């Protein structure tokens, strides 16, 4: 823009020097004035965009004013398209009379008006003379009203286009036949592009702020859960408070189903009128046709857009009638509390106007419902433990020694080790000793790089699935001990649970793991996760026993065989199972393998011949 202004000044100076007549000089001066005004307008709009990160209204008003002043239009309106793309709404107007229609007026997009066509087609539309427009001549009501009641003769609509789709527009009316020039239209299209930037900036800013609000709310609830193991009502109150704030609902209630699964009770509420809670029913049958009953019976979200327009209300259902007539409820949503796929209660939110809850709001309530289930289960377990302790009574005094011993073993030892020791009646197996072990190490290929780019929730989900699936296979193959850290897993065969073929059992487990991980990695690949899986197996003697101190003990193994399996795992490519020489020889009659030569491994002095299990 500054270049244009400089060029115009240069032309003006040359004109004066060459004796150009006054009319031509005035034309050049006017062009210079227009260029300067447009540059000032551009700076003003850009300044407004940078200043108002969370409010697009000042930017739109700035654009409307400059559009009207610079394009000689007495009536300017800025319209935004709703999410459903069924209507536009006037966001702001400019002009001496502030436009024919006030701010907030809505227009359908399904019609044949010039604005509707411009938005649907995402292109600038101008009607140079409305009185000669075919639709006016055909006496269509819209154009007739435009000309004969509003007095509009020239009309221009410039859409706000984002990714090929119009999200709004600026409309300009002139009350005389005076078509907008190409230069004016180009300026307005620049303003439209700036409007898109402002709208998107505000949307992104509000989205981040909303996400932060939700994260803070979730963190607050989790903190209360950690501090309230024996009181789920405190958690319920915090959940309902945050649900009301974040979902723009005046009321939230939490309902629980009794153990017989026959009655629903409102156990916590926020925001309801006192006369509704005191005079209304707080317990309902599971067969009640209202939203809460449906949500719990069918274990799904149930939303009544307008409870006065439901069959239950029309049939005189007491809960619906009380809710509508006493509390003034119109829109109600119930989100089930799911435990093991079965609903044990629900969270209900309502509004006193017909305004359905959005999918993102329902998703937030679903996360709150999961937290409520955690609180309920924590309290149940805590109370169950308290009950159990009370019932033990005299048995605790008589058997305290045995209970302490068993509790210690169960807390600090793997289940397989603890069960073996308890069965033997001696803790001699815990002492350090030598044993011939089949040692298996495995981990996920590419996991470190994945963690650097993935969201924490994605990382946790991958690890959870991985350890769950590998854990099932480890249990199924009778391993004695397994240890896990991050994506790494160590599995021991032949101690403390003896087996006839430790190397063979380790290979069988590795093959099963590889097959399962192949399926998982294919599924993850479709989600954009580039992950693989590798295994290392060795056979040899190692020192086995308890390592650690009181309260922090673990049953583990150490020695060259363990180090060798770990290093083989590090060397394995995606899908490879690498064996030490001794392990390969031990299983050669059943599992074919090929030598990949001698390999220098970290922490092992001499090169080691490594074998790769035949993938066939």
């Amino acid at each position: 823009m500054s270049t244009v202004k400089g060029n115009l000044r240069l032309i003006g100076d040359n004109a004066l020097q060459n004796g150009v007549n006054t009319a031509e000089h005035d034309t050049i001066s006017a062009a210079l004035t227009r260029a300067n005004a447009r540059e000032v307008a551009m700076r003003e709009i850009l300044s407004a965009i940078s200043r108002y990160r969370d409010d697009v209204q000042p930017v739109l008003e700035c654009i409307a004013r400059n559009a009207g002043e610079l394009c000689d239009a007495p009536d300017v309106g800025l319209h935004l398209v709703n999410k459903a793309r069924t209507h536009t709404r006037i966001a702001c107007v400019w002009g001496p009379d502030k436009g024919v229609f006030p701010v907030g007026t809505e227009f359908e997009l399904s019609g044949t008006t010039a604005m509707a066509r411009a938005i649907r087609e995402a292109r600038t539309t101008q009607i140079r003379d409305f009185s000669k427009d075919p639709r006016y001549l055909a006496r269509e009501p819209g154009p007739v009203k435009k000309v004969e009641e509003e007095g509009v003769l020239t009309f221009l609509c410039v859409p706000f286009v984002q990714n090929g789709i119009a999200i709004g527009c600026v409309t300009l009316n002139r009350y005389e036949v005076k078509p907008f020039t190409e230069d004016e239209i180009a300026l307005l299209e620049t303003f439209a592009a700036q409007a898109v930037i402002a709208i998107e900036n505000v949307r992104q800013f509000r989205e981040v702020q909303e996400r932060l609000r939700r994260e803070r709310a979730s963190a607050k609830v989790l903190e209360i859960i950690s501090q309230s193991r024996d009181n789920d009502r405190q958690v319920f109150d915090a959940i309902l408070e945050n649900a009301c704030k974040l979902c723009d609902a005046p009321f939230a209630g939490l309902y629980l189903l009794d153990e017989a699964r026959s009655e629903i009770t409102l156990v916590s509420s926020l925001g309801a009128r006192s006369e509704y809670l005191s005079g209304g029913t707080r317990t309902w049958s599971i067969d009640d046709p209202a939203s809460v009953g449906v949500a719990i019976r069918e274990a799904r979200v149930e939303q009544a857009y307008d409870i006065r327009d439901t069959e239950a209300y029309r049939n005189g259902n007491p809960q619906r009638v009380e809710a509508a007539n006493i509390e003034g409820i119109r829109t109600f949503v119930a989100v089930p509390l799911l435990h093991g796929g079965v609903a044990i209660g629900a969270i209900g939110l309502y509004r006193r106007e017909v305004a359905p809850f959005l999918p993102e709001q329902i998703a937030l309530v679903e996360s709150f419902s999961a937290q409520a289930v955690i609180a309920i289960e924590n309290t149940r377990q805590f109370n169950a433990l308290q009950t159990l302790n009370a019932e033990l009574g005299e048995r605790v005094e008589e058997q305290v020694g045995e209970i302490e011993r068993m509790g210690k073993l169960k807390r600090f030892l793997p289940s397989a080790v603890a069960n073996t020791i308890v069965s033997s009646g001696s803790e001699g197996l815990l002492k350090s000793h030598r044993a011939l072990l089949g040692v298996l190490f495995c981990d996920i290929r590419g996991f470190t790089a994945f963690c650097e780019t993935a969201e924490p929730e994605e990382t946790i989900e991958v690890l959870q699935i991985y350890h769950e699936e590998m854990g099932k296979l480890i249990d199924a193959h009778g391993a004695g001990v397994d240890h896990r850290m991050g994506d790494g897993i160590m599995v021991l065969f032949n101690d403390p649970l003896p087996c006839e073929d430790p190397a063979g059992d380790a290979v069988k487990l590795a093959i099963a793991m590889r097959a399962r991980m192949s399926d998982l990695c294919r599924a993850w690949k479709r989600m954009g996760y580039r992950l693989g899986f590798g295994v290392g197996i060795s056979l040899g003697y190692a020192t086995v026993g308890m390592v650690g101190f009181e309260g922090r003990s673990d049953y583990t193994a150490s020695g060259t065989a363990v180090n060798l399996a770990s290093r083989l795992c590090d060397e394995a490519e995606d899908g490879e199972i690498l064996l030490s020489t001794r392990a390969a020889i031990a299983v050669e009659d059943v599992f074919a393998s090929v030598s990949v030569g001698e390999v220098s491994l970290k922490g092992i002095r001499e090169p080691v011949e490594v074998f790769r299990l035949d993938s066939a």
Side-chain angles (χ1 to χ4, degrees), residues 107-388:
F107 300 91
E108 291 186 4
L109 285 178
S110 59
T112 60
T113 65
M115 181 177 69
R117 294 199 313 272
I119 290 179
R120 289 200 303 268
E121 299 170 10
R123 65 177 180 84
T124 299
T125 300
Q126 177 171 210
I127 297 179
R128 304 170 70 87
D129 184 351
F130 243 123
S131 66
K132 296 180 180 179
D133 186 77
R135 295 184 304 119
Y136 172 76
L137 297 176
R139 305 302 290 172
E140 291 185 14
V144 169
K145 180 180 179 182
K146 198 80 172 175
V147 175
E148 299 179 5
E149 294 184 21
E150 300 172 18
V152 176
L153 290 175
T154 296
F155 172 83
L156 178 68
C157 179
V158 179
F160 302 159
V161 181
Q162 182 182 42
N163 299 325
I165 299 174
I167 60 173
C169 67
V170 55
T171 58
L172 296 91
N173 294 325
R174 282 175 175 166
Y175 301 106
E176 59 182 322
V177 179
K178 184 182 178 184
F180 292 87
T181 66
E182 292 184 1
D183 192 38
E184 290 171 329
I185 292 173
L187 175 64
L188 291 168
E189 288 176 341
T190 300
F191 286 167
Q194 291 176 319
V196 170
I197 293 172
I199 292 168
E200 181 62 16
N201 283 354
V202 171
R203 185 195 67 79
Q204 291 181 358
F205 180 83
R206 290 177 177 175
E207 186 177 273
V208 170
Q209 294 300 107
E210 183 64 19
R211 187 180 300 119
L212 291 174
R213 287 178 63 205
R214 294 182 177 187
E215 289 176 355
R216 286 193 294 268
S218 180
K220 179 181 178 181
V221 173
L222 290 174
E223 180 182 1
I224 295 175
I225 288 175
S226 68
Q227 298 172 353
S228 308
R229 291 187 306 161
D230 60 340
N231 187 357
D232 51 19
R233 295 305 186 267
Q234 293 181 9
V235 180
F236 296 164
D237 292 343
I239 286 174
L240 298 184
E241 178 184 355
N242 284 285
C244 283
K245 289 180 180 178
L246 298 177
C247 295
D248 190 25
F251 167 86
L254 196 144
Y255 307 79
L256 290 182
L257 184 63
D258 65 356
E259 292 186 2
R261 300 191 63 81
S262 61
E263 287 189 338
I264 304 168
T265 301
L266 176 65
V267 297
S268 183
S269 64
L270 183 68
R273 294 168 178 157
S274 58
E275 58 268 28
Y276 174 55
L277 291 179
S278 61
T281 304
R282 297 176 64 94
T283 301
W284 303 270
S285 167
I286 184 65
D287 298 320
D288 192 275
S291 300
V292 172
V294 174
I296 296 176
R297 285 197 310 275
E298 302 182 14
R300 63 173 177 84
V301 175
E302 173 69 9
Q303 178 164 208
Y305 296 104
D306 183 356
I307 67 171
R308 292 180 181 269
D309 191 31
T310 61
E311 184 177 354
Y313 177 81
R314 290 192 292 267
N315 291 339
N317 173 261
Q319 183 188 354
R320 282 286 166 89
V321 171
E322 288 177 359
N325 297 348
I326 298 177
E327 183 62 3
I329 299 174
R330 298 300 297 271
T331 295
F332 190 98
V333 65
V335 177
L337 309 182
L338 299 178
H339 181 62
V342 177
I344 60 173
I347 293 177
L349 283 81
Y350 73 67
R351 291 172 176 153
R352 293 190 177 101
E353 69 277 353
V354 179
F357 291 87
L358 301 175
E360 54 266 29
Q361 293 173 326
I362 293 175
L364 176 63
V365 180
E366 286 177 326
S367 69
F368 283 147
S369 72
Q371 292 175 329
V373 171
I374 293 173
I376 293 169
E377 184 62 15
N378 282 354
T379 301
R380 186 195 66 77
Q381 292 181 356
F382 182 85
N383 292 337
L385 181 60
Q386 293 293 89
T387 301
L388 179 61

Side-chain angles (χ1 to χ4, degrees), residues 313-564:
Y313 177 81
R314 290 192 292 267
N315 291 339
N317 173 261
Q319 183 188 354
R320 282 286 166 89
V321 171
E322 288 177 359
N325 297 348
I326 298 177
E327 183 62 3
I329 299 174
R330 298 300 297 271
T331 295
F332 190 98
V333 65
V335 177
L337 309 182
L338 299 178
H339 181 62
V342 177
I344 60 173
I347 293 177
L349 283 81
Y350 73 67
R351 291 172 176 153
R352 293 190 177 101
E353 69 277 353
V354 179
F357 291 87
L358 301 175
E360 54 266 29
Q361 293 173 326
I362 293 175
L364 176 63
V365 180
E366 286 177 326
S367 69
F368 283 147
S369 72
Q371 292 175 329
V373 171
I374 293 173
I376 293 169
E377 184 62 15
N378 282 354
T379 301
R380 186 195 66 77
Q381 292 181 356
F382 182 85
N383 292 337
L385 181 60
Q386 293 293 89
T387 301
L388 179 61
N389 289 340
E391 292 176 350
L392 287 176
E394 296 180 359
R395 290 183 57 193
V396 171
E397 296 180 3
E398 297 173 357
Q399 302 178 4
V400 64
E402 184 67 18
I403 291 175
E404 288 180 354
R405 173 172 171 269
M406 297 253 321
K408 175 183 175 183
L409 293 176
K410 289 289 186 181
R411 179 175 295 180
F412 301 114
L413 295 177
S415 296
V417 179
N419 291 335
T420 300
I421 293 171
V422 170
S423 299
S424 68
S426 170
E427 297 185 11
L429 290 175
L430 297 179
K431 296 180 180 179
S432 178
H433 61 280
R434 298 278 290 173
L436 177 64
L437 300 178
V439 184
L440 179 150
F441 272 81
C442 66
D443 64 15
I444 300 176
R445 300 287 93 106
F447 187 73
T448 300
F450 168 70
C451 291
E452 292 175 353
T453 58
E455 295 294 333
E457 294 85 355
E458 295 175 315
T459 303
I460 294 300
E461 182 179 6
V462 167
L463 277 179
Q464 183 174 352
I465 293 173
Y466 167 67
H467 281 298
E468 180 179 353
E469 295 300 317
M470 295 304 100
K472 293 176 182 177
L473 294 175
I474 291 170
D475 290 342
H477 284 75
V481 174
D482 69 277
H483 294 281
R484 310 179 189 200
M485 180 173 293
D487 64 317
I489 300 176
M490 179 186 78
V491 185
L492 304 180
F493 286 90
N494 203 39
D495 193 281
L497 304 178
C499 63
E500 295 181 0
D501 184 11
D505 290 349
V507 171
K508 291 176 184 176
L509 174 59
I511 293 172
M513 285 179 161
R514 180 173 64 183
R516 184 69 185 106
M517 282 300 293
S518 177
D519 294 338
L520 292 176
C521 289
R522 278 196 299 271
W524 288 332
K525 185 176 181 181
R526 290 195 294 269
M527 300 169 66
Y529 307 160
R530 302 291 180 178
L531 300 174
F533 181 68
V535 183
I537 296 174
S538 70
L539 177 67
Y541 282 91
T543 301
V544 187
M546 291 298 298
V547 175
F549 57 91
E550 181 67 24
R552 294 284 183 175
S553 300
D554 206 353
Y555 191 81
T556 188
S558 63
T560 302
V562 177
N563 295 339
L564 179 55

